């Protein structure tokens, strides 16, 4: 016995653009940001890693970004993989 799945593109687009998915993406990005800042062992003068969520322009789905803000966060990534470890863990 086989089962056939039919994907409804409009339904997926509506789901990916929903406020629930926005919250899930934002929460995941905040977790990555927090882990990256903890991994980096930054001084008080560093602003730490930043996080933002945006709605993509092509499909409209929610995207999360975490990145370096200053020299210290760049060094923490290059020497200790602070952000890389935060994403994978």
């Amino acid at each position: 016995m086989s089962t056939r799945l039919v994907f409804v593109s409009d339904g997926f687009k509506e789901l990916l653009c929903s406020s629930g998915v926005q919250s899930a993406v934002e929460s995941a990005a905040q977790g990555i940001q927090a882990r990256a800042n903890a991994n980096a062992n930054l001084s008080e003068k560093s602003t730490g890693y930043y996080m933002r969520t945006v709605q993509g322009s092509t499909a409209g789905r929610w995207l999360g970004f975490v990145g370096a803000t200053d020299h210290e966060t760049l060094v923490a990534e290059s020497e200790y993989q602070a952000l890389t470890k935060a994403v994978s863990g």
Side-chain angles (χ1 to χ4, degrees), residues 73-85:
T73 52
L74 289 170
V75 170
E77 174 57 23
S78 67
E79 292 184 5
Y80 310 112
Q81 293 76 46
L83 182 54
T84 299
K85 290 176 182 175

Side-chain angles (χ1 to χ4, degrees), residues 57-81:
S57 61
T58 306
R61 68 181 180 162
W62 289 99
L63 308 168
F65 296 93
V66 179
T69 57
D70 53 28
H71 182 73
E72 264 192 79
T73 52
L74 289 170
V75 170
E77 174 57 23
S78 67
E79 292 184 5
Y80 310 112
Q81 293 76 46

